[in-house]
Amino acid sequence: MTTRRILVVSYHALPRVTPGSLRVAWMSEQLAARGWDVRIVTSVANPTVPPGVRVISTARAAASNPAPRATRLRTLWNDLAIPDRFVGWTPALTAALSDALNQESVDVVLSTSPPHSTHLALAWVRRSRRFRWIADFRDPWTAPTRYPRAAAVESIQRWLEGTVVHACNEIIANTPGNRAALLRAFPRLREAAVHVLPNGFDDGMLERAAEPALDDADITYVGEIYPGMVDRFAAALRMLAATAPGVAPSLSLYGEVDPREWKKLEAAGLAACVRRHGKVSHEESLRVMRRARSLLLLLPDRPSWATCVPSKLYPYLASGRPVLALVPDGDAARIVRDTGAGEALTDPDPAATARGIESFLRAAHAPEAARGRRDDAIHGYAVSSLADRLDAILSALAERPQ
């Protein structure tokens, strides 16, 4: 059997731990195990890669890329750079791609974003040569738009995204909702060319039994809390504290909290119920999940977030702990419900949320709390299962003419 070659293009790579670097790590490891010859093009100097995976690093050029150091200038650059603040990487990436494609044949190129400027470099190189290309969107670009932009900026961003989605052969979206949004935004796309491949968790997590609930807080949150996430949660807890003081839960936070969100918790009189542990390593975050009593998932209550599934949800599933999700009705809620992992509260009304939290805590701390879990559905998010799907997508693409 002929070995197939794949070039994986990602700004992020380990040892920098980001959702992007973790996705690239499992993709490259699992594809190499399935017989692919994997090379990674990245901005990271001396990246950590699985045995047998080769690396092309543009670290020297990338180091001069970004953003000015002064906070105000950095903020201005982040706001004004199109398509994103990493666009300075594209010249070095374009050169590296051209060299790699000239040196030996490649069956498939997979580029993954954000940053979405990564895909633009592929689109530019593809103007002068043919290769099979699949664009992986770990987060949406403009379809849907998570944060509001000026109309002119949104128009430019949508045009740039269009140049990418119509230049590549196929597309991967990370949720069904994001796939549907792409098809609505770009009606010329073939439905069969847009796939769904979510994030997942390492298979080894299923082999580790959940530890005793060493964290005595009622609910544990792992990860960053950014603007708009705590509004409904804070309002619901304030109601519980006022009407049923013995029911209002305590919360452990592991990760960075936006100062504006912390002020909301303080204003609601909830600071005393919250224990802030600060940011922890990725490995420690997984241990925290396994020894929590229950786990909290938050998203802003806006329709644009209905297609978002935070990457933390997948190890949440593998931890075996009950999950409380305060999210819009959409992809994240569906996963929690389909796997029987916990309770998804999608009604934006704080009173309904307060009742849901109270009910969840009673059920989550009962001896039979795990009876509703669907292990078969949860196992579908193990990276070995996801890699089987990815291998099939890439193998079919590799058979197509360039």
Side-chain angles (χ1 to χ4, degrees), residues 225-298:
I225 292 183
Y226 42 84
M229 292 179 67
V230 305
D231 294 7
R232 178 158 60 106
F233 184 62
L237 291 193
R238 184 168 50 194
M239 288 183 176
L240 283 175
T243 60
V247 176
S250 54
L251 174 66
S252 279
L253 293 179
Y254 291 84
E256 297 178 347
V257 182
D258 185 278
R260 292 164 290 185
E261 299 302 283
W262 179 248
K263 287 181 180 179
K264 292 175 184 177
L265 293 172
E266 288 183 319
L270 301 171
C273 303
V274 181
R275 301 159 197 173
R276 297 179 68 176
H277 300 274
K279 188 175 181 179
V280 297
S281 68
H282 177 66
E283 287 301 318
E284 179 60 20
S285 74
L286 299 180
R287 287 191 290 270
V288 165
M289 294 175 193
R290 293 198 300 273
R291 61 181 183 236
R293 298 183 71 188
S294 61
L295 293 163
L296 177 65
L297 188 74
L298 297 173

Side-chain angles (χ1 to χ4, degrees), residues 11-226:
Y11 185 89
H12 301 281
L14 296 176
R16 295 181 192 166
V17 178
T18 66
S21 65
L22 293 172
R23 187 169 172 92
V24 167
W26 74 253
M27 281 182 167
S28 58
E29 180 180 27
Q30 294 285 332
L31 289 175
R34 286 161 175 74
W36 287 82
D37 180 357
V38 183
R39 280 179 290 169
I40 297 175
V41 181
T42 180
S43 72
V44 178
N46 302 315
T48 303
V49 298
V53 174
R54 292 179 288 170
V55 173
I56 302 169
S57 175
T58 65
R60 179 176 297 179
S64 62
N65 167 27
R69 292 187 178 182
T71 302
R72 291 181 181 177
L73 290 177
R74 182 184 296 116
T75 301
L76 186 63
W77 173 257
N78 292 350
D79 290 343
L80 298 181
I82 294 178
D84 50 57
R85 65 189 177 94
F86 301 96
V87 67
W89 185 44
T90 55
L93 175 57
T94 299
L97 286 170
S98 298
D99 289 345
L101 292 168
N102 286 333
Q103 287 175 9
E104 57 182 312
S105 63
V106 174
D107 293 289
V108 179
V109 178
L110 184 152
S111 58
T112 183
S113 72
H116 303 302
S117 52
T118 301
H119 297 314
L120 285 180
L122 270 293
W124 179 261
V125 175
R126 209 163 193 267
R127 294 176 65 181
S128 59
R129 64 178 303 151
R130 304 301 298 171
F131 53 88
R132 302 177 190 89
W133 170 27
I134 187 164
D136 174 41
F137 288 85
R138 303 188 314 272
D139 275 324
W141 190 338
T142 70
T145 298
R146 295 274 190 253
Y147 299 100
R149 299 185 180 106
V153 173
E154 182 71 5
S155 178
I156 294 170
Q157 294 280 17
R158 178 63 63 90
W159 177 76
L160 289 172
E161 184 175 15
T163 65
V164 168
V165 300
H166 292 128
C168 64
N169 297 95
E170 298 191 358
I171 297 168
I172 294 174
N174 68 339
T175 72
N178 286 336
R179 175 183 184 271
L182 278 168
L183 290 170
R184 285 193 302 270
F186 302 102
R188 286 170 45 202
L189 289 176
R190 293 182 302 110
E191 288 196 25
V194 187
H195 311 274
V196 175
L197 189 74
N199 286 309
F201 57 82
D202 186 82
D203 290 63
M205 287 195 69
L206 294 174
E207 301 167 4
R208 305 185 190 105
E211 300 176 13
L214 300 178
D215 194 329
D216 59 0
D218 295 299
I219 310 175
T220 297
Y221 182 91
V222 181
E224 183 181 1
I225 292 183
Y226 42 84

